[in-house]
Amino acid sequence: MNPAEITPPITVLVVDDSVSVRKALERILAPQGYQVRMADSAENALETLEPLPDLVLADILMPGMSGLELTRIMTDRGVNVPVMLMSGIVDEVTQRDAQAAGARGVLRKPFTPAELLPAIEPQVQAALDARAQRGDTPAPQAATTPVTPAAPAAPAVPPAPSRDGLLAGLSGVSGVEGAVLYSADGDRVAQFGPDLPESFAMYARFLVTAAATASHHLNRGDLSSLLLSYAGQTLLLSPHRDGQLVALLRGSDVAPAVARWQASQLN
């Protein structure tokens, strides 16, 4: 099946509160011929279901209504649209909850185009079958010869991150060996020290959001900063301005000094 040959185009509704995740999915799907619609919350997704999309990709962990709740409501309303959920943690409990809600599966974030596209293809075919049942358009048959999909569009090369500016002074904190500041969109806006993989922005946002959510449910104070052991060193992840700060530390004892630097920048 070649999505670029389907008329009208296959519409995918992406539901995620992260701008960077929505943009990443659009960069993967649009060059393949998919028409991408976006919603920044489950509540907005329910308000913009008409006209019906062919497939919904929804994050599980979002402020307000979760992706699981969105799926349950769509199932209860008899909305015949396949839903694939997305989560940074996919375990047996998550898969069971997703199946009970009516989802077709759970995608582990972050993912590459090579992982995403084959995973959604069966659901796209199911969506086209649903189109045929509604009388919208005949369901296309699978191609008898392999079709080479169009290569995903190369993401725009971001400008070289500044070593100063928003991170001025942090490089002078003893024990801080590097840092990256991500914007709310997942773009690197400042950096010094060793590079992190480009996909780490998605991990950083997920981990910081998960910590903040845990803090809310546990009611035990601020858990929005995380310390992770990394190759004998320590990664500190925390919210900073509208994005996330990831700092590579010599040890966990450096974290309070970084917190003091953050406080001085935000005051």
Side-chain angles (χ1 to χ4, degrees):
M1 181 188 66
N2 186 352
E5 297 177 353
I6 306 298
T7 303
I10 300 167
T11 301
V12 180
L13 175 60
V14 175
V15 187
D16 199 299
D17 61 305
S18 168
V19 176
S20 60
V21 173
R22 298 198 301 269
K23 286 182 176 180
L25 283 166
E26 184 177 35
R27 285 197 295 265
I28 294 174
L29 296 171
Q32 304 298 319
Y34 293 102
Q35 180 177 336
V36 181
R37 287 162 42 191
M38 301 185 188
D40 59 6
S41 68
E43 291 85 349
N44 286 342
L46 288 173
E47 294 176 359
T48 58
L49 273 178
E50 296 295 340
L52 285 178
D54 295 297
L55 173 66
V56 174
L57 296 176
D59 192 20
I60 288 181
L61 182 62
M62 293 183 287
M65 185 186 298
S66 71
L68 286 168
E69 294 173 286
L70 170 64
T71 308
R72 291 191 193 100
I73 290 173
M74 291 177 60
T75 300
D76 292 344
R77 292 181 181 179
V79 179
N80 188 18
V81 174
V83 178
M84 293 284 288
L85 295 172
M86 304 178 291
S87 176
I89 300 175
V90 180
D91 54 19
E92 184 176 337
V93 174
T94 303
Q95 293 173 332
R96 184 174 64 244
D97 290 345
Q99 184 177 17
R104 301 296 181 92
V106 185
L107 297 165
R108 187 190 304 274
K109 297 195 303 184
F111 36 72
T112 65
E115 294 166 335
L116 173 66
L117 297 173
I120 68 171
E121 185 168 343
Q123 312 313 325
V124 171
Q125 185 61 57
L128 295 175
D129 292 340
R131 271 192 190 183
Q133 292 175 9
R134 295 194 301 264
D136 295 347
T137 185
Q141 300 300 314
T144 56
T145 57
V147 177
T148 302
V157 178
S162 168
R163 295 180 62 88
D164 301 309
L166 295 176
L167 293 180
L170 183 58
S171 59
V173 176
S174 178
V176 177
E177 301 181 351
V180 180
L181 179 61
Y182 296 104
S183 71
D185 294 343
D187 298 322
R188 285 180 295 174
V189 295
Q191 173 184 343
F192 68 87
D195 284 332
L196 290 174
E198 185 177 347
S199 61
F200 198 80
M202 188 181 297
Y203 282 113
R205 177 195 165 273
F206 170 77
L207 290 169
V208 171
T209 301
T213 302
S215 174
H216 172 75
H217 287 290
L218 293 174
N219 196 24
R220 294 291 181 88
D222 183 12
L223 295 178
S224 57
S225 297
L226 296 175
L227 287 172
L228 303 178
S229 176
Y230 175 72
Q233 294 176 307
T234 301
L235 278 181
L236 170 68
L237 297 90
S238 61
H240 189 74
R241 300 186 186 275
D242 294 328
Q244 295 85 38
L245 173 70
V246 180
L248 179 62
L249 312 181
R250 189 176 55 232
S252 59
D253 59 325
V254 182
V258 177
R260 288 192 294 271
W261 172 84
Q262 285 187 274
S264 71
Q265 298 298 304
L266 299 176
N267 288 338

